[in-house]
Amino acid sequence: MAQINPSILSADFSRLAEEAKAVEGADWLHVDVMDNHFVPNLTLGVPVVEALGRATDTPLDCHLMIEDPDRWAPQYVEAGAGSVTFHVEAAAAPVRLAREIRAKGARASMALKPATPIEPYEDLLPELDMLLIMTVEPGFGGQAFLDIMLPKIRRTRQLIAKHGLELWLQVDGGVSATTIERCAEAGADVFVAGSAVYGTDDPAAAVRMLRNQATEATAAAPWACAH
Protein backbone atom coordinates (compact mmCIF):
# COMPACT_ATOMS: atom_id res chain seq x y z
CA MET A 1 0.00 0.00 0.00
CA ALA A 2 1.45 3.35 -1.04
CA GLN A 3 1.96 5.82 1.80
CA ILE A 4 1.92 9.60 1.42
CA ASN A 5 3.89 11.74 3.87
CA PRO A 6 3.24 15.48 3.40
CA SER A 7 6.30 17.59 4.19
CA ILE A 8 5.66 20.28 6.77
CA LEU A 9 8.62 22.16 5.24
CA SER A 10 6.22 23.36 2.53
CA ALA A 11 3.53 24.42 5.00
CA ASP A 12 2.90 27.84 6.51
CA PHE A 13 5.20 27.88 9.55
CA SER A 14 3.03 30.51 11.26
CA ARG A 15 0.11 28.02 11.27
CA LEU A 16 1.78 24.66 11.83
CA ALA A 17 -0.97 23.16 13.97
CA GLU A 18 -3.64 24.02 11.39
CA GLU A 19 -1.43 22.83 8.54
CA ALA A 20 -0.89 19.50 10.31
CA LYS A 21 -4.65 19.05 10.73
CA ALA A 22 -5.21 19.87 7.05
CA VAL A 23 -3.53 16.57 6.08
CA GLU A 24 -4.84 14.25 8.77
CA GLY A 25 -5.76 11.67 6.11
CA ALA A 26 -2.05 11.25 5.37
CA ASP A 27 -0.09 8.22 6.55
CA TRP A 28 2.66 10.23 8.25
CA LEU A 29 3.62 13.88 8.64
CA HIS A 30 7.15 14.39 7.33
CA VAL A 31 9.20 16.79 9.46
CA ASP A 32 12.47 18.08 8.00
CA VAL A 33 15.04 18.94 10.66
CA MET A 34 17.99 20.96 9.29
CA ASP A 35 20.89 22.39 11.28
CA ASN A 36 22.59 24.76 8.77
CA HIS A 37 25.70 22.54 8.96
CA PHE A 38 24.94 19.23 7.25
CA VAL A 39 22.72 21.19 4.83
CA PRO A 40 22.71 24.96 4.12
CA ASN A 41 19.36 25.64 5.75
CA LEU A 42 17.95 25.91 9.26
CA THR A 43 14.43 24.74 10.07
CA LEU A 44 13.19 23.39 13.40
CA GLY A 45 14.16 21.16 16.29
CA VAL A 46 12.96 19.09 19.22
CA PRO A 47 10.55 21.65 20.77
CA VAL A 48 8.61 22.08 17.50
CA VAL A 49 8.43 18.30 17.04
CA GLU A 50 6.99 17.99 20.55
CA ALA A 51 4.43 20.70 19.75
CA LEU A 52 3.45 19.06 16.45
CA GLY A 53 2.95 15.77 18.26
CA ARG A 54 0.40 17.46 20.51
CA ALA A 55 -1.32 19.15 17.55
CA THR A 56 -2.02 16.12 15.37
CA ASP A 57 -2.88 12.43 15.55
CA THR A 58 -0.87 11.76 12.38
CA PRO A 59 2.39 10.02 13.31
CA LEU A 60 5.56 12.06 12.81
CA ASP A 61 8.25 10.98 10.34
CA CYS A 62 11.33 13.03 11.30
CA HIS A 63 14.07 13.39 8.68
CA LEU A 64 17.26 14.59 10.35
CA MET A 65 19.49 16.51 7.95
CA ILE A 66 21.94 17.28 10.72
CA GLU A 67 25.46 16.62 11.87
CA ASP A 68 26.04 14.17 14.74
CA PRO A 69 22.72 12.29 14.49
CA ASP A 70 24.22 9.66 16.81
CA ARG A 71 23.83 12.22 19.59
CA TRP A 72 20.58 13.90 18.57
CA ALA A 73 18.36 11.28 16.94
CA PRO A 74 17.26 9.57 20.18
CA GLN A 75 15.90 12.90 21.43
CA TYR A 76 13.47 13.02 18.52
CA VAL A 77 12.07 9.64 19.54
CA GLU A 78 11.61 11.00 23.04
CA ALA A 79 9.93 14.09 21.54
CA GLY A 80 7.28 11.85 19.99
CA ALA A 81 8.52 10.90 16.51
CA GLY A 82 7.23 7.53 15.31
CA SER A 83 9.96 7.25 12.69
CA VAL A 84 13.41 8.84 12.73
CA THR A 85 15.62 9.06 9.65
CA PHE A 86 19.34 9.79 9.92
CA HIS A 87 21.77 10.39 7.05
CA VAL A 88 24.38 7.68 6.68
CA GLU A 89 26.83 10.36 5.51
CA ALA A 90 26.59 12.01 8.93
CA ALA A 91 26.31 8.98 11.24
CA ALA A 92 29.41 7.69 13.01
CA ALA A 93 27.87 4.32 13.92
CA PRO A 94 24.72 3.73 11.83
CA VAL A 95 23.99 0.20 13.08
CA ARG A 96 24.26 1.22 16.71
CA LEU A 97 22.11 4.31 16.04
CA ALA A 98 19.41 2.31 14.22
CA ARG A 99 19.26 -0.13 17.10
CA GLU A 100 19.00 2.69 19.63
CA ILE A 101 16.13 4.33 17.71
CA ARG A 102 14.30 0.98 17.59
CA ALA A 103 14.99 0.29 21.26
CA LYS A 104 13.37 3.60 22.17
CA GLY A 105 10.23 2.57 20.29
CA ALA A 106 10.43 4.29 16.88
CA ARG A 107 11.01 3.03 13.36
CA ALA A 108 14.64 3.41 12.29
CA SER A 109 15.33 4.84 8.86
CA MET A 110 18.52 5.68 6.98
CA ALA A 111 18.78 8.31 4.23
CA LEU A 112 21.15 8.49 1.27
CA LYS A 113 22.02 11.69 -0.59
CA PRO A 114 21.85 11.47 -4.39
CA ALA A 115 25.56 10.75 -4.85
CA THR A 116 25.69 8.07 -2.13
CA PRO A 117 25.40 4.52 -3.54
CA ILE A 118 23.26 1.91 -1.81
CA GLU A 119 25.51 -1.09 -2.44
CA PRO A 120 28.06 -0.47 0.38
CA TYR A 121 25.21 -0.52 2.90
CA GLU A 122 23.53 -3.75 1.81
CA ASP A 123 24.50 -5.54 5.02
CA LEU A 124 22.87 -2.78 7.12
CA LEU A 125 19.42 -3.19 5.60
CA PRO A 126 18.12 -5.74 8.15
CA GLU A 127 18.80 -3.16 10.90
CA LEU A 128 16.35 -0.71 9.32
CA ASP A 129 12.60 -0.24 9.02
CA MET A 130 12.86 2.20 6.12
CA LEU A 131 15.41 3.47 3.64
CA LEU A 132 15.14 6.98 2.18
CA ILE A 133 16.49 7.70 -1.29
CA MET A 134 16.83 11.46 -1.75
CA THR A 135 15.60 12.47 -5.19
CA VAL A 136 16.98 16.02 -4.81
CA GLU A 137 19.98 17.38 -2.93
CA PRO A 138 18.82 17.78 0.69
CA GLY A 139 18.43 21.22 2.16
CA PHE A 140 15.60 23.01 0.39
CA GLY A 141 12.02 22.32 -0.65
CA GLY A 142 10.62 22.94 -4.11
CA GLN A 143 13.50 21.43 -6.08
CA ALA A 144 13.08 19.58 -9.38
CA PHE A 145 12.99 15.78 -9.25
CA LEU A 146 16.22 14.03 -10.29
CA ASP A 147 15.28 11.31 -12.78
CA ILE A 148 18.80 9.90 -12.51
CA MET A 149 17.78 8.50 -9.11
CA LEU A 150 15.28 6.03 -10.61
CA PRO A 151 17.91 3.31 -11.31
CA LYS A 152 19.11 3.64 -7.72
CA ILE A 153 15.54 3.15 -6.47
CA ARG A 154 15.29 0.01 -8.63
CA ARG A 155 18.60 -1.37 -7.33
CA THR A 156 17.53 -0.72 -3.75
CA ARG A 157 14.21 -2.51 -4.28
CA GLN A 158 16.12 -5.48 -5.72
CA LEU A 159 18.36 -5.62 -2.64
CA ILE A 160 15.32 -5.50 -0.34
CA ALA A 161 13.75 -8.39 -2.27
CA LYS A 162 17.04 -10.33 -2.31
CA HIS A 163 17.09 -10.35 1.50
CA GLY A 164 13.34 -10.89 1.89
CA LEU A 165 12.96 -7.77 4.02
CA GLU A 166 9.79 -5.90 4.98
CA LEU A 167 11.63 -2.63 4.48
CA TRP A 168 9.81 0.51 3.37
CA LEU A 169 11.47 2.44 0.54
CA GLN A 170 10.87 6.18 0.76
CA VAL A 171 11.58 8.90 -1.79
CA ASP A 172 11.86 12.59 -0.95
CA GLY A 173 12.34 15.50 -3.33
CA GLY A 174 10.31 16.75 -6.26
CA VAL A 175 7.59 14.13 -5.74
CA SER A 176 4.40 15.29 -7.47
CA ALA A 177 1.55 14.12 -9.66
CA THR A 178 3.97 14.10 -12.61
CA THR A 179 6.75 12.07 -10.92
CA ILE A 180 5.13 9.80 -8.31
CA GLU A 181 4.17 7.06 -10.79
CA ARG A 182 7.78 6.73 -11.98
CA CYS A 183 8.95 6.42 -8.38
CA ALA A 184 6.34 3.76 -7.61
CA GLU A 185 7.16 1.81 -10.76
CA ALA A 186 10.84 1.86 -9.78
CA GLY A 187 10.12 0.44 -6.32
CA ALA A 188 9.28 3.20 -3.86
CA ASP A 189 6.29 2.73 -1.56
CA VAL A 190 6.53 5.75 0.77
CA PHE A 191 6.38 9.20 -0.83
CA VAL A 192 7.27 12.55 0.73
CA ALA A 193 5.38 15.36 -0.99
CA GLY A 194 5.76 19.02 -0.05
CA SER A 195 4.54 21.65 -2.48
CA ALA A 196 2.49 19.00 -4.33
CA VAL A 197 0.32 18.86 -1.19
CA TYR A 198 0.67 22.20 0.57
CA GLY A 199 0.81 24.19 -2.66
CA THR A 200 -2.78 23.20 -3.47
CA ASP A 201 -6.11 24.62 -2.30
CA ASP A 202 -7.10 21.26 -0.78
CA PRO A 203 -4.12 19.45 0.79
CA ALA A 204 -6.22 16.48 1.94
CA ALA A 205 -7.52 15.92 -1.60
CA ALA A 206 -3.98 16.16 -2.93
CA VAL A 207 -2.90 13.41 -0.53
CA ARG A 208 -5.71 11.14 -1.73
CA MET A 209 -4.93 11.80 -5.39
CA LEU A 210 -1.22 11.09 -4.96
CA ARG A 211 -1.93 7.90 -3.02
CA ASN A 212 -4.29 6.68 -5.75
CA GLN A 213 -1.72 7.42 -8.45
CA ALA A 214 1.03 5.61 -6.57
CA THR A 215 -1.18 2.64 -5.72
CA GLU A 216 -2.22 2.16 -9.35
CA ALA A 217 1.37 2.47 -10.60
CA THR A 218 2.54 -0.02 -7.98
CA ALA A 219 -0.11 -2.56 -8.99
CA ALA A 220 1.32 -2.60 -12.51
CA ALA A 221 4.98 -2.54 -11.48
CA PRO A 222 7.10 -5.68 -12.10
CA TRP A 223 8.64 -5.52 -8.60
CA ALA A 224 5.23 -5.55 -6.92
CA CYS A 225 3.92 -8.38 -9.09
CA ALA A 226 6.89 -10.49 -8.04
CA HIS A 227 6.57 -9.54 -4.38
Side-chain angles (χ1 to χ4, degrees):
M1 178 66 179
Q3 299 185 64
I4 305 298
N5 299 14
S7 172
I8 204 79
L9 183 66
S10 296
D12 181 348
F13 270 36
S14 70
R15 303 169 51 248
L16 281 185
E18 295 166 59
E19 296 281 63
K21 288 186 185 304
V23 294
E24 286 198 328
D27 299 280
W28 296 77
L29 187 64
H30 190 81
V31 183
D32 288 307
V33 177
M34 307 183 195
D35 64 358
N36 206 29
H37 294 285
F38 181 69
V39 291
N41 198 1
L42 185 65
T43 54
L44 47 81
V46 168
V48 175
V49 170
E50 289 177 336
L52 276 170
R54 293 192 296 270
T56 180
D57 292 329
T58 307
L60 303 182
D61 165 34
C62 284
H63 177 194
L64 307 184
M65 289 171 268
I66 62 175
E67 291 183 350
D68 200 10
D70 303 75
R71 175 184 177 189
W72 297 110
Q75 294 188 29
Y76 286 87
V77 184
E78 293 164 9
S83 176
V84 176
T85 301
F86 60 89
H87 268 267
V88 71
E89 302 90 353
V95 171
R96 185 176 66 200
L97 180 54
R99 289 180 178 181
E100 186 173 1
I101 291 169
R102 280 177 157 181
K104 285 184 172 291
R107 294 177 63 86
S109 171
M110 188 173 79
L112 306 180
K113 293 167 74 172
T116 304
I118 178 59
E119 287 77 11
Y121 304 105
E122 179 179 351
D123 292 343
L124 273 66
L125 296 181
E127 301 290 339
L128 303 169
D129 298 295
M130 183 169 73
L131 191 84
L132 167 54
I133 302 290
M134 291 297 300
T135 43
V136 298
E137 290 293 342
F140 294 93
Q143 296 184 68
F145 179 80
L146 294 173
D147 276 284
I148 56 170
M149 291 298 103
L150 291 171
K152 182 175 170 182
I153 296 169
R154 289 192 181 94
R155 293 196 305 272
T156 303
R157 174 54 67 186
Q158 289 165 0
L159 290 177
I160 292 170
K162 172 184 171 183
H163 293 278
L165 301 172
E166 294 295 325
L167 181 66
W168 295 353
L169 180 51
Q170 184 181 64
V171 287
D172 180 5
V175 175
S176 68
T178 58
T179 60
I180 194 167
E181 291 173 2
R182 277 175 277 163
C183 294
E185 188 278 331
D189 54 8
V190 184
F191 306 87
V192 177
S195 49
V197 170
Y198 281 112
T200 68
D201 293 333
D202 189 340
V207 168
R208 291 192 297 271
M209 183 189 73
L210 289 168
R211 188 187 288 119
N212 289 340
Q213 277 188 274
T215 299
E216 289 178 11
T218 298
W223 70 266
C225 297
H227 189 55

